[in-house]
Amino acid sequence: MNPKIWLSSPHMSGKEQSFISEAFASNWIAPLGPNVSGFESDLESYLKSNSYVAALSSGTAAIHLALVLLGVSSGDEVICQSFTFAASANPIIYQGAQPIFIDSEKDTWNMCPELLEIAIKDRIKKGKKPKAIIAVHLYGMPYKADKINSIANTYNIPVIEDSAEALGSVYKNKKCGTLANISILSFNGNKIITTSGGGALVTKDNNIKDKAVFLATQARDKDPSYLHSNIGYNYRMSNVLAGVGRGQMTVLDQYVIKRRQNFEFYYNQLNKIDAIEFLDEPEDCFSNRWLSCILTPDFKTRENIRLKLEKENIETRPLWKPMHQQPVFKDTPKYLNGISDGLFERGLCLPSGSNLTDNELNRVISTIKAYF
Ligand SMILES: *Cc1c(COP(=O)(O)O)cnc(C)c1O
């Protein structure tokens, strides 16, 4: 059996260990310390646009805190892109709020601006103005932030930018993660850089960062006697894991280049096959190509290719199953146009790690070519 090729596996640079050793040497093993603030300032200088970063235990925690900070509570409605990973939507339920799912557009596979506006008007007509909008840069492709933000501004609804998959992507010369007043990042093991598990809340408002850190560290009031006037969470990133993040930040730009090279390679090798399509970068969009995805003509072809690759010990995944198709969200209001259903049926994510070798990429290509 050939060795396993993973979809997107962690890729250490070799620089992580020294930051971790520093944490051990100074006994900073707590969920605060110099690596946490160092990782935050590394991210702030990378993202620019006057960003403030709070390092947290996960991207999911960051979305949850974003909703708390925006005052989302029981009975509120929150609009969310349907074509995404469940972690974008689950925190809406943690707050006792009601998700409203919006389908995708063809150009970016992300939230369709037209449907968003239709949904907002309809929710208002039905009696409730949505409290927030969660838009996602799926697979690293930026959503059309200008259009989404302008609709959000018209109705005065805040946007939460889910940039979990898009660190290193750029929209109109601005880094993804800086396109809303509150954005989130993830450093889970499969993301473009990892702290093994972790996330961040990014904001342009220093007060929001302070509040996020306060809530993420059990909401302890400034008082020696453990005084609480708010419900808190244990969501801060540990100083050990932030050390991994600091090491990873030294190679982020290289990893973006490598992931984009993976995409280029697949594109050049497979583009001539009529049955395979790729998502081009629309004008103004620069994708980190976190995962390279292909579209096949139908479900059967998609599954045949997936199973053939699996037999060769090559891991691939269908594109995300839209939230409106999930059993757990079956009674959730939704505004659909069929696009994400089609993408889910026909789409496959190919191995995309920044640590893939030429030999591994060639194995993927020859297996797919052998199918055709
Ligand atoms: C990974 C991911 C998250 C959640 O991040 P975690 O750090 O795993 O909690 C949220 N949204 C999207 C789109 C993701 O891909």
Side-chain angles (χ1 to χ4, degrees), residues 57-61 63 84-85 87-88 136-138 162 164-165 184-188 190-191 197-199 290 320:
S57 55
S58 71
T60 311
I63 297 173
T84 186
F85 177 51
S88 304
V136 189
H137 307 296
L138 220 58
D162 181 343
E165 303 178 0
I184 74 96
L185 302 170
S186 167
F187 312 110
N188 201 345
N190 59 348
K191 299 300 194 310
W290 172 58
W320 298 120

Side-chain angles (χ1 to χ4, degrees), residues 279-351:
L279 178 63
D280 291 329
E281 276 171 331
E283 213 187 319
D284 302 323
C285 292
F286 175 91
S287 170
N288 67 6
R289 297 291 188 185
W290 172 58
L291 295 186
S292 291
C293 309
I294 56 171
L295 293 180
T296 64
D298 48 45
F299 175 78
K300 207 168 141 263
T301 313
R302 196 281 306 281
E303 271 309 274
N304 286 343
I305 296 174
R306 189 180 69 78
L307 293 170
K308 192 165 169 62
L309 287 160
E310 191 174 83
K311 244 191 225 142
E312 297 297 324
N313 214 13
I314 299 170
E315 184 189 23
T316 63
R317 284 296 175 106
L319 302 193
W320 298 120
K321 189 184 186 77
M323 291 307 107
H324 69 265
Q325 285 196 32
Q326 301 290 354
V328 72
F329 291 124
K330 72 178 183 331
D331 296 323
T332 304
K334 49 194 182 273
Y335 295 81
L336 304 180
N337 56 19
I339 289 184
S340 63
D341 288 343
L343 293 169
F344 172 60
E345 223 169 78
R346 298 165 48 214
L348 192 67
C349 305
L350 301 179

Side-chain angles (χ1 to χ4, degrees), residues 5-134:
I5 301 178
W6 298 98
L7 184 69
S8 178
S9 71
H11 183 190
M12 292 299 108
S13 69
K15 306 222 172 72
E16 293 78 11
Q17 282 287 350
S18 68
F19 290 105
I20 298 172
S21 302
E22 228 172 84
F24 275 71
S26 55
N27 204 30
W28 274 110
I29 313 295
L32 78 170
N35 280 336
V36 175
S37 37
F39 185 41
E40 289 174 344
S41 64
D42 290 348
L43 283 163
E44 286 163 2
S45 9
Y46 181 82
L47 292 169
K48 304 199 177 72
S49 307
N50 300 314
S51 303
Y52 296 94
V53 174
L56 301 171
S57 55
S58 71
T60 311
I63 297 173
H64 188 198
L65 284 187
L67 293 170
V68 172
L69 289 162
L70 292 173
V72 170
S73 64
S74 178
D76 286 338
E77 292 189 350
V78 175
I79 284 180
C80 182
Q81 188 164 317
S82 187
F83 191 46
T84 186
F85 177 51
S88 304
N90 285 339
I92 303 170
I93 306 292
Y94 304 166
Q95 283 308 96
Q98 172 69 60
I100 308 288
F101 292 129
I102 309 289
D103 214 325
S104 291
E105 57 167 3
K106 271 214 176 87
D107 285 17
T108 65
W109 297 357
N110 294 316
M111 186 180 278
C112 170
E114 285 76 33
L115 267 186
L116 170 64
E117 182 149 31
I118 289 169
I120 294 173
K121 284 184 176 156
D122 192 50
R123 297 328 292 175
I124 292 173
K125 210 172 89 195
K126 289 189 160 72
K128 252 183 208 171
K129 189 172 107 171
K131 228 19 208 297
I133 298 165
I134 302 175

